[in-house]
Amino acid sequence: RGRRPRLRRAQGRSAAGPPRARDGESRLSRAARRAREHFDERALHYDQEAGRREPSYSRVLQAMLWLLDIPSDTPARVLELGVGTGNQTRLLLRQFPTARVTGYDVSPAMLARARRKLAPFRDRVELVLADFGAGLEGGPYDAVISANAIHHVPRPRLRALFEQLFALLRPGGQVVIAEPFRPQDAALAD
């Protein structure tokens, strides 16, 4: 049984965000607390339920990787927001064998599952327990990815989040985000 990826708890003051405690609890927004509770409760069965809730789940994850313009032999640094149980992270690390990922998530239970799933990649992944909507650390990154997570960030924090994401990107870096969309008009759902 191999070692698992390192789990870091955000600390200190990020370039654009409030101070955060070592345990990631300080200044969690109401939305982040709700997301933490929601995903902590569902972590054990999340992978089995994801495909039932969103039938295109695996196709969306694959499409996101297809959109990344990273040569497979380039040691790219990728920031993932809302790493969850590590599904997207594992796909990315398999497709880009020299990439390194820093993955943020607010749920300790989801990150525990991700640590087990990502153990074969432990030298190329760092998992951070924190509310990414409250600020980020690190960089520069070649790409930022996020699947089904940005909608948990309160609207007043979105502008600051995106400003920080683009500030953390290297010139020419990419942002690839997939979010659920359920149109009000049934004709748009086709």
Side-chain angles (χ1 to χ4, degrees):
R1 198 170 186 169
R3 290 183 347 202
R4 294 185 183 150
R6 185 168 64 99
L7 175 63
R8 180 170 61 86
R9 297 172 191 274
Q11 55 188 340
R13 183 180 297 275
S14 66
R20 285 176 279 158
R22 290 182 188 270
D23 63 3
E25 292 288 339
S26 181
R27 303 208 183 190
L28 279 181
S29 68
R30 184 179 314 144
R33 280 193 303 275
R34 282 195 314 261
R36 176 178 279 184
E37 291 168 7
H38 174 85
F39 289 108
D40 279 351
E41 290 172 6
R42 289 162 179 78
L44 184 62
H45 302 289
Y46 182 83
D47 289 343
Q48 294 82 15
E49 294 172 2
R52 281 195 304 257
R53 279 190 326 274
E54 190 178 332
S56 61
Y57 178 72
S58 62
R59 288 193 316 258
V60 167
L61 299 183
Q62 288 291 338
M64 289 178 67
L65 296 182
W66 179 79
L67 290 170
L68 284 177
D69 186 22
I70 300 173
S72 61
D73 60 344
T74 300
R77 291 191 63 214
V78 179
L79 173 63
E80 183 177 5
L81 305 180
V83 75
T85 62
N87 293 324
Q88 180 72 47
T89 317
R90 182 172 56 187
L91 289 172
L92 186 144
L93 291 167
R94 284 179 178 163
Q95 183 167 330
F96 301 102
T98 59
R100 301 181 76 72
V101 176
T102 300
Y104 275 72
D105 204 284
V106 73
S107 167
M110 294 290 265
L111 284 178
R113 297 192 63 77
R115 285 181 72 212
R116 286 190 290 278
K117 187 180 290 178
L118 300 171
F121 308 101
R122 68 185 162 275
D123 296 333
R124 297 174 40 218
V125 64
E126 177 184 28
L127 301 174
V128 182
L129 175 61
D131 172 9
F132 63 79
L136 300 162
E137 300 170 351
Y141 296 101
D142 299 290
V144 176
I145 62 170
S146 181
N148 302 335
I150 300 288
H151 65 273
H152 294 293
V153 177
R155 231 183 144 107
R157 290 188 180 182
L158 284 173
R159 182 180 180 132
L161 172 64
F162 279 96
E163 287 174 351
Q164 187 174 24
L165 290 180
F166 285 104
L168 291 173
L169 278 176
R170 292 185 200 280
Q174 300 173 273
V175 177
V176 178
I177 297 172
E179 282 293 325
F181 173 70
R182 291 176 181 71
Q184 303 262 326
D185 184 340
L188 296 175
D190 292 339

